[in-house]
Amino acid sequence: MLQVQEVKGPPTEVQYFGEEDLAHRLTDHDVEVIREIFRTPLTGSYNWDYEAANARIRRLYELGKRFNWNSELDVDWTLPPPAPRADAPEPEGFSDHPKWKTLTAAQKADFMHRTSAQTLSQFLHGEQGALMVASQLVSCAPTHDAKLYAASQTFDEARHVEVFHRYLMERCHMIYPINPNLKFLLDKVLTDERWDLKFIGMQILIEGLALAAFQTIHESTPDPLLKQVIGLVMRDEGRHVAFGVNYLEDWIRSLPQDQIEERAQFAYEACVVMKNRLVSTTVAEEFGFTHEEALEINARSHGGQAFRKFLFERMIPNLKRVGLLTDAIRPKFEELGVLEFESLQHDGMIDWAVLEAPLEMKARVAA
């Protein structure tokens, strides 16, 4: 029996899942759906010209069809979790703190486990937001090529929601609530009536944020299953960002200057949120650290600095390429200290060899 509960906001408590919960999900039982309503003045459009006008967009669409991986078949869910290590590195910044030294070995292991679950939970929530934005773009994108690509991206995002949810259920056994600042960004993009702002918000900003986070996790995780999952998702996200840069660069430059400045201001405000406000202190506070202590530790940690570097290395060249580093907005980005990345390679320069490489699991099966 389906039970639907409408709420005014997202959950605020951690959801826990044991083996019994997993077993119940394989049998018929009552299902409770918790949904939060949002409304958007979305303006859709038909397009009666079915010819392909943009060769790059069409090629990205074809790649999406060719590498349409299946989380049931292309992920090796039998991979065991990494064995606990006595010499495992402790979290940078926390390990020297007096409060950390009072924790038992079991508490420290639980801290690390919960930190991973909290981070991956944000991936899950962000992918749900991306799924809904991509579905909006199918109806409001102005050209046939963009509609086709948005449709393929919608399916990509559905797979991402599925694979992160399964990993959290089976490996982590818990899901943390969405970070309020991530929710703010998603709400802004979902409820804005301008189709091109949805493209900017999703394809350049939020997907760029995701790629930076995925890159950080992919380089550091000891779990071969998570590395496999992240690797597959990153392939899709790379196509999505490339699509956004290639599609937006001509469109943005055709707008009146006042509208360009509006979009540049939106991009700047989103970057401020990403740089300063997406840090979660939830887990640290569960173990006795104050909010301020956790923020200070993250700001000083190599991991936190590496994430912000990855983020703006990708994002700033892309914003410049599409014309959103205007003369008026540049001083604000300069204050953020991120203009040093503007001359790096943007994602409009597509590395086709990387995107066309065979999927790892499929290559092993073929061999």
Side-chain angles (χ1 to χ4, degrees), residues 56-327:
R56 283 191 167 193
I57 298 302
R58 181 52 63 93
R59 188 173 175 184
L60 288 168
Y61 172 64
E62 292 298 329
L63 283 178
K65 291 193 296 181
R66 190 192 314 171
F67 296 114
N68 206 348
W69 53 272
N70 185 329
S71 67
E72 295 291 331
L73 303 177
D74 298 312
V75 176
D76 187 358
W77 294 100
T78 65
L79 288 170
R85 291 171 44 197
D87 62 342
E90 296 187 326
E92 183 189 2
F94 287 95
S95 58
D96 295 329
H97 198 283
K99 290 183 179 179
W100 177 264
K101 294 178 179 179
T102 66
L103 300 179
T104 66
Q107 287 174 319
K108 291 177 180 178
D110 189 32
F111 181 101
M112 300 298 288
H113 181 74
R114 287 174 174 272
T115 297
S116 178
Q118 196 281 330
T119 299
L120 294 171
S121 295
Q122 303 318 305
F123 293 172
L124 171 65
H125 302 314
E127 296 296 348
Q128 183 192 172
L131 169 66
M132 293 191 290
V133 176
S135 69
Q136 290 182 334
L137 293 176
V138 175
S139 61
C140 67
T143 66
H144 177 59
D145 289 329
K147 288 180 184 295
L148 289 183
Y149 189 84
S152 72
Q153 181 175 340
T154 302
F155 193 30
D156 288 346
E157 307 297 1
R159 287 199 309 275
H160 301 173
V161 172
E162 174 192 359
V163 77
F164 281 124
H165 180 250
R166 180 170 177 179
Y167 184 91
L168 282 161
M169 293 275 291
E170 296 186 8
R171 245 350 182 229
C172 300
H173 303 293
M174 65 184 76
I175 297 176
Y176 273 78
I178 189 170
N179 180 295
N181 294 301
L182 176 58
K183 176 68 161 46
F184 168 80
L185 285 177
L186 293 175
D187 283 345
K188 174 60 179 172
V189 175
L190 280 165
T191 58
D192 200 284
E193 63 182 353
R194 294 163 289 186
W195 69 266
D196 61 323
L197 191 138
K198 294 181 186 295
F199 268 73
I200 295 165
M202 181 51 59
Q203 309 298 130
I204 306 294
L205 300 173
I206 295 176
E207 297 281 21
L209 170 67
L211 273 172
F214 294 154
Q215 184 175 354
T216 303
I217 296 294
H218 193 264
E219 292 184 0
S220 62
T221 180
D223 186 351
L225 173 58
L226 182 57
K227 188 179 288 286
Q228 196 175 99
V229 166
I230 295 290
L232 286 169
V233 173
M234 284 176 68
R235 288 174 64 107
D236 293 343
E237 303 292 15
R239 289 198 312 274
H240 301 168
V241 176
F243 163 59
V245 174
N246 279 279
Y247 194 78
L248 282 169
E249 58 182 327
D250 291 333
W251 171 263
I252 295 294
R253 292 188 176 93
S254 71
L255 294 174
Q257 191 60 37
D258 63 326
Q259 293 186 29
I260 294 176
E261 296 298 346
E262 286 179 5
R263 286 148 179 80
Q265 179 66 26
F266 165 73
Y268 163 73
E269 291 173 359
C271 286
V272 171
V273 172
M274 293 176 186
K275 186 174 188 290
N276 300 327
R277 292 164 54 192
L278 281 183
V279 178
S280 175
T281 63
T282 304
V283 174
E285 290 178 57
E286 289 175 343
F287 286 82
F289 292 86
T290 67
H291 177 74
E292 291 72 21
E293 287 171 338
L295 284 178
E296 182 183 355
I297 289 171
N298 179 270
R300 289 189 286 105
S301 72
H302 173 75
Q305 293 170 5
F307 166 70
R308 286 184 285 274
K309 182 173 183 287
F310 286 152
L311 172 62
F312 291 108
E313 277 181 344
R314 298 197 77 111
M315 191 171 298
I316 296 303
N318 290 340
L319 289 175
K320 182 177 182 179
R321 179 67 179 184
V322 301
L324 293 180
L325 282 186
T326 65
D327 290 341

Side-chain angles (χ1 to χ4, degrees), residues 352-365:
W352 295 107
V354 171
L355 295 183
E356 292 175 343
L359 293 176
E360 180 183 350
M361 179 67 84
K362 285 182 171 22
R364 288 207 302 267
V365 171

